[in-house]
Structures are given as structure tokens and as C-alpha cells.
Amino acid sequence: NSARQGMAEVFYNMANTLTRGRSIEHALIYGNFALYIRPDYPVGQLLVGGILEALDRHDEAIIVYNQVKSTSPLGWTARLRKVSSLDSLDKTKLAIAELTEMAGEKVERHDALVALGDLFRGKKRYLEAVAAYSKALKRIGKLEKRHWAILYSRGISYERADQWEAGERDLLHALKLNADQPYVLNYLGYSWID
């Protein structure tokens, strides 16, 4: 709508291009230029937050993610990314609380529950991971090819919780959804050998 917004877009595009190369520090400079010119720029905020995460500057990433308005179409994504930074800072209780709150806010969505399952699985809290993935799968209802990863993750969690039969069932179901998925084939094959 203005030359100012156009200039912010130019800096955003430069930053976005530089993130794909080996110039992540330069990407951060251009991303910050974009936000200086246009502070309320959700796409730019997500980009800068992601760059800060890549640089292990999680405290700063959280600040940037918190600036994305909840009314923005990218507000939900910013909250999900903030959770990742919280966990990286060993603020796991806060991350779990945020994901639990998000799962309660939008009962039609499953992504917060999947992220919660991933967090629990990463912390070797496998039964809690199974519960989160199960709630996510229940919300989805009819599974499609793209949902194989949730079954794969729950299958791993079951297996790690010494519930092999349930894990095997999920892994086989994941293969029915996506027969050529190498991660599932590999995990299932090694599990059968063991």
C-alpha cells in the first residue's frame, strides 16, 4: 500500500533468500531492517524468529514471536514456534502449558496435540506422548496419506513404552497410508529383527 511497505518487502525477500545460503547473520540484518520499517509484519516476524532460533538465540526468538498478534492468520504458527524455543531453554513446563492451552482453544485443530506428543516423546515421556497423539488422531477422524507421520510417531512411542503390539499396529497402519515411507519401513524392519 505504500513505498514503506514495499521497502519492508524488499528487505524481507533479501533475508528470506539469504537464509537458504550460508549467510544467516546477514539474513538477520535484513530481516530486522524489514521489521524496523514495518514493525507489524507477521511474515517478517516469523522469519526473524526462525533465524534467531537457528542461531540458538531462543530468548530473543520468543520476544519476536510474542509480537505476532493473536488476530493475525500467523498468530497460531508463532505460538507453536515459541513453544519450540521454550523447550530449547529448558522451560518445558511452560511449553507443555502453552500447548495444552492451545489444544483446548481450538478443538478442531490437531497440530498443538501433535507438537505436545513430539515434545513428550523427545523427553522420553512415552505414555504421555501416546496420549497426546491419540487425542490428535481422534480429532482428525478419517486419516489420509499425509497423517502417516502421526501414526509413525505414536508407534515409536508405544514401542519405547514396551507396548510393541500397539506400536506395530500403528506402524503397519502408517504403511497402509504411505506404503513407500522409508522411515516407517526402516523402523518396522529393525523392530522385527530385534
Side-chain angles (χ1 to χ4, degrees):
N1 295 332
S2 69
R4 190 172 184 83
Q5 286 184 345
M7 196 63 179
E9 189 76 22
V10 168
F11 282 123
Y12 165 80
N13 285 325
M14 291 171 70
N16 196 24
T17 300
L18 289 170
T19 60
R20 296 179 199 145
R22 298 179 185 258
S23 302
I24 198 157
E25 291 85 5
H26 292 107
L28 182 59
I29 292 168
Y30 287 115
N32 280 322
F33 281 161
L35 294 182
Y36 177 77
I37 294 169
R38 188 176 172 192
D40 186 18
Y41 188 27
V43 176
Q45 290 163 325
L46 287 181
L47 178 66
V48 169
I51 293 168
L52 290 167
E53 278 189 87
L55 294 170
D56 289 325
R57 293 166 59 179
H58 297 285
D59 284 320
E60 294 170 73
I62 290 169
I63 291 168
V64 174
Y65 291 142
N66 282 337
Q67 292 171 354
V68 179
K69 292 180 181 174
S70 61
T71 55
S72 165
L74 297 176
W76 188 264
T77 302
R79 288 176 72 188
L80 285 173
R81 289 192 181 182
K82 179 177 89 171
V83 166
S84 174
S85 283
L86 286 170
D87 188 44
S88 295
L89 292 170
D90 293 324
K91 296 181 179 180
T92 304
K93 286 184 182 179
L94 287 174
I96 291 168
E98 180 76 15
L99 288 170
T100 302
E101 182 180 318
M102 291 173 73
E105 283 176 25
K106 296 194 178 188
V107 296
E108 72 281 5
R109 294 187 69 130
H110 66 275
D111 51 358
L113 288 167
V114 171
L116 185 60
D118 291 344
L119 191 150
F120 282 136
R121 187 167 48 94
K123 301 294 180 191
K124 300 183 180 182
R125 294 164 63 173
Y126 299 117
L127 292 177
E128 290 168 286
V130 165
Y133 292 133
S134 296
K135 288 178 186 174
L137 290 165
K138 187 175 180 181
R139 285 189 182 182
I140 294 168
K142 186 174 190 249
L143 298 180
E144 299 173 8
K145 182 177 182 176
R146 63 190 169 99
H147 298 120
W148 71 268
I150 304 169
L151 288 166
Y152 171 67
S153 298
R154 189 175 73 170
I156 290 171
S157 300
Y158 270 130
E159 186 269 329
R160 298 284 166 92
D162 293 323
Q163 295 183 23
W164 169 242
E165 288 179 10
E168 181 183 35
R169 194 167 41 249
D170 273 354
L171 293 168
L172 289 170
H173 192 174
L175 277 181
K176 284 182 185 174
L177 294 176
N178 192 351
D180 297 325
Q181 184 41 248
Y183 293 113
V184 181
L185 291 166
N186 189 49
Y187 200 92
L188 195 54
Y190 276 108
S191 297
W192 282 335
I193 290 169
D194 286 344

